[in-house]
Amino acid sequence: MVNSTQSSHRTDNAVELDMLLGYMKELIIPYVDSASNKEASVVEYYPPEKLEKLVDFSLPENGGGVEGAFKSIKETLKYSVNGWNPRFMDKLYAGTNPIGVISELLIATLNSNVHVYHVSPVMTMMEVHVTRAVGQLLGMGANAGGLLCPGGSASNQLAMVTARNTLYPSIKDTGYMPRPFNPSAEYGKLKIFTSKHSHYSIDKSAQIMGLGVDNIVKVPVDEDGKMQVSALEKCILESIDLGETPFFINATAGTTVMGAFDPIQAISAIAKKYNCWLHVDGSWGGSVVFSEKVMNEKSWLVGSHLADTFTLNPHKLLGVPLQCSMLLTPHNGNLLFAKHNTLKADYLFHGNPYDLGEGTLGCGRRPDAAKMFLSWKYYGRCGLGDRIDQALATAEKFANRVKERASRGFKLVKDPCPFLQVCFWYVPPALANKPVDQIDLSKITRILHKKINHSGEFMIDYAPLEGVPDFFRIVINAPTVDCDRDLVRLLDAVERVAKEVDWEN
Ligand SMILES: *Cc1c(COP(=O)(O)O)cnc(C)c1O
């Protein structure tokens, strides 16, 4: 590479950037290409103590310039998880795509802040348009819109804050002082209702807001992991009987472990009846709104237009780079959040309704919407929908492959799989003749999981779920994952590593 060291800030930025981009391109194109190699590892994994010896984390007094920075960049590529590898199936996100990288480059180039319109006019309008368009796909109508938040948890939190500020605005000024401690309060202890399988960010929001996690009612789920609506109403009635104030119901569209969709329409009727805010956490499953096939054939998002707020993470199912999460509403888009959350910071906000930062919990904001906007421009609604359809078809095919191996010890946790998580157990042949109650399936899952991930051939996860032993959870997301090439290979790998274990001990 280059010998010159760069110790001061140069002023000919264009020349310098041209040079750096050239070097960067030389590194990242082969890196992305390598991920499609059959032999490529997902990661060369080391624990922190070892990694600190392999990578130079020291921070210098004098700049190392191009050489110093690119040495670090090379090390980073070498020891990081390569998300472009289709055998990365550990989490609900997959690798991104070329337009994703380009959109990040655009954002980095502009370095603009979408808190006020006049410093980021185009990106602000991208956010307005893309949230309106997604809201309208959800059926939220002419006044649909919303805001981007730094992740699904942040979107859920902004939803809960907005619900509280809308329904009980006095709390904004006087603080949270419910009955019976404050006999004249218009509200009792504020209660949140969400299913047992919902994401922990709901609990975290309640904790941050000072409502207390004990004031979250975990509503039971049915066999498929969906919230039981009759149980929801019963829980609400019990709470009202105690003098409490139910105010927030969260329905999950695509639960994190099983991929269940709570029945939004039926839950909405309960929310209306008891004057509760209806939030839908569609961080994982909300993106299916892009698939015409899903919207025609499945009831997953029926009632989505009835939500007061709806979280959707394009950074998960749509392959948009992390972070990209939107909070949508039919009630006037970003203006709903501005109206209920503004603190009149007049030095920053001068009354422009396009100053999106009025509505969020933070101040400065990344233009994450631009990534979704460009992805939509590039692939079209249909292209994004195809991505969903393809993932669903692959998941179904893979689930069948798991079933075909029933006699070899594989068993699906749920058949058919509710969504894109294919969950299964495996009993090694050495234990096949043991009585079921003497087999510790959780332990088997965890031993095999560790062996598989450490090999670097795959990156997968296992999950606990109340009432059943831990199981493998394989997330089908990336359009590059192929059932026969990658997923059947995974089943082979499970059988292979199982042979290396002495199961009798
Ligand atoms: C992933 C997920 C979240 C959290 O989203 P982040 O962007 O990781 O904060 C919330 N809810 C559900 C259902 C999820 O799957």
Side-chain angles (χ1 to χ4, degrees):
M1 197 178 281
V2 95
N3 289 322
S4 77
T5 46
Q6 206 79 44
S7 51
S8 58
H9 294 275
R10 292 170 53 148
T11 45
D12 47 351
N13 281 323
V15 173
E16 186 178 338
L17 181 59
D18 186 35
M19 174 183 72
L20 294 181
L21 279 176
Y23 294 143
M24 194 65 186
K25 196 174 151 189
E26 269 173 37
L27 290 181
I28 61 176
I29 302 303
Y31 179 78
V32 170
D33 191 42
S34 73
S36 56
N37 182 334
K38 279 211 320 297
E39 310 302 329
S41 303
V42 179
V43 62
E44 206 177 305
Y45 178 83
Y46 297 101
E49 317 80 71
K50 188 82 199 291
L51 196 62
E52 279 183 325
K53 298 205 171 78
L54 294 166
V55 178
D56 178 8
F57 289 109
S58 70
L59 291 160
E61 200 60 22
N62 298 307
V66 178
E67 251 173 294
F70 273 80
K71 181 169 174 287
S72 288
I73 291 170
K74 283 184 187 164
E75 288 171 349
T76 306
L77 292 171
K78 182 164 164 59
Y79 297 109
S80 291
V81 172
N82 191 334
W84 299 83
N85 191 316
R87 284 173 274 113
F88 172 66
M89 296 178 281
D90 186 308
K91 296 282 173 267
L92 298 177
Y93 73 95
T96 185
N97 40 45
I99 191 65
V101 176
I102 296 303
S103 58
E104 286 285 11
L105 192 56
L106 176 66
I107 289 172
T109 304
L110 292 175
N111 197 34
S112 60
N113 196 331
V114 280
H115 51 5
V116 292
Y117 174 84
H118 68 269
V119 299
S120 53
V122 181
M123 293 208 156
T124 296
M125 295 315 288
M126 281 180 171
E127 182 160 347
V128 168
H129 281 270
V130 79
T131 51
R132 182 186 299 154
V134 179
Q136 288 180 349
L137 286 181
L138 289 167
M140 289 177 170
N143 294 324
L147 289 173
L148 276 280
C149 297
S153 306
S155 292
N156 290 342
Q157 192 190 342
L158 182 60
M160 199 181 283
V161 170
T162 305
R164 183 202 60 187
N165 289 356
T166 305
L167 294 169
Y168 302 100
S170 68
I171 295 174
K172 272 184 87 173
D173 296 324
T174 60
Y176 176 52
M177 291 188 283
R179 296 185 307 257
F181 313 105
N182 171 20
S184 65
E186 59 188 308
Y187 55 89
K189 262 200 264 175
L190 294 181
K191 299 294 265 197
I192 294 148
F193 299 78
T194 190
S195 94
K196 283 202 158 127
H197 285 188
S198 64
H199 193 261
Y200 75 92
S201 56
I202 301 297
D203 305 46
K204 199 162 243 185
S205 300
Q207 185 230 83
I208 293 166
M209 288 167 65
L211 302 177
V213 285
D214 289 351
N215 291 306
I216 299 175
V217 180
K218 295 281 168 73
V219 181
V221 295
D222 68 13
E223 281 216 317
D224 297 326
K226 296 180 195 159
M227 184 192 281
Q228 290 183 24
V229 182
S230 55
L232 168 66
E233 183 160 28
K234 193 164 155 271
C235 291
I236 290 180
L237 287 169
E238 280 168 12
S239 167
I240 293 171
D241 264 356
L242 291 170
E244 300 168 343
T245 302
F247 88 109
F248 189 90
I249 301 174
N250 172 62
T252 308
T255 54
T256 309
V257 174
M258 292 297 297
F261 286 79
D262 291 341
I264 302 172
Q265 190 149 15
I267 293 171
S268 154
I270 305 285
K272 289 233 157 56
K273 188 166 166 191
Y274 297 101
N275 190 34
C276 290
W277 189 274
L278 175 61
H279 176 65
V280 176
D281 179 4
S283 293
W284 170 227
S287 298
V288 299
V289 76
F290 282 86
S291 162
E292 210 154 38
K293 187 166 149 62
V294 167
M295 296 306 278
N296 287 334
E297 294 175 10
K298 308 273 186 191
S299 58
W300 294 340
L301 294 186
V302 170
S304 58
H305 62 291
L306 301 167
D308 294 298
T309 42
F310 192 114
T311 297
L312 189 152
N313 279 9
H315 77 225
K316 284 183 171 168
L317 206 34
L318 298 178
V320 174
L322 284 153
Q323 307 261 29
C324 187
S325 172
M326 34 180 76
L327 181 63
L328 305 160
T329 177
H331 313 306
N332 257 340
N334 62 291
L335 296 176
L336 169 81
F337 304 110
K339 178 171 168 199
H340 296 289
N341 301 322
T342 181
L343 287 173
K344 300 267 176 282
D346 297 336
Y347 51 84
L348 178 62
F349 301 111
H350 308 313
N352 185 341
Y354 290 95
D355 289 349
L356 302 182
E358 279 270 32
T360 57
L361 301 178
C363 171
R365 314 170 60 234
R366 262 174 68 81
D368 289 328
K371 298 182 287 187
M372 178 59 199
F373 185 93
L374 286 175
S375 186
W376 194 332
K377 278 277 188 199
Y378 194 80
Y379 294 110
R381 206 268 312 142
C382 294
L384 295 172
D386 287 347
R387 182 186 163 108
I388 310 278
D389 296 342
Q390 191 185 327
L392 283 164
T394 305
E396 193 182 334
K397 199 165 158 193
F398 179 46
N400 286 327
R401 294 287 180 276
V402 175
K403 276 202 286 187
E404 285 160 18
R405 294 197 187 200
S407 62
R408 289 153 75 169
F410 288 91
K411 186 172 173 14
L412 285 176
V413 175
K414 203 93 238 138
D415 180 17
C417 297
F419 193 37
L420 292 168
Q421 295 100 306
V422 178
C423 301
F424 62 85
W425 292 287
Y426 175 67
V427 181
L431 301 174
N433 295 324
K434 275 209 165 181
V436 194
D437 58 350
Q438 284 177 33
I439 300 180
D440 187 345
L441 266 176
S442 292
K443 199 166 166 194
I444 296 172
T445 302
R446 277 184 247 144
I447 291 171
L448 294 176
H449 165 263
K450 196 166 171 186
K451 286 181 82 72
I452 287 173
N453 274 15
H454 281 196
S455 77
E457 189 181 354
F458 292 92
M459 213 163 175
I460 57 170
D461 206 0
Y462 71 91
L465 198 66
E466 199 184 330
V468 295
D470 296 356
F471 47 78
F472 292 100
R473 183 196 68 165
I474 313 303
V475 184
I476 310 302
N477 181 346
T480 47
V481 71
D482 180 89
C483 184
D484 294 316
R485 185 193 59 204
D486 305 314
L487 297 166
V488 169
R489 175 173 166 184
L490 171 66
L491 299 180
D492 292 342
V494 170
E495 293 187 30
R496 190 181 67 238
V497 300
K499 289 204 189 93
E500 296 164 6
V501 181
D502 174 11
W503 294 106
E504 292 307 326
N505 301 301

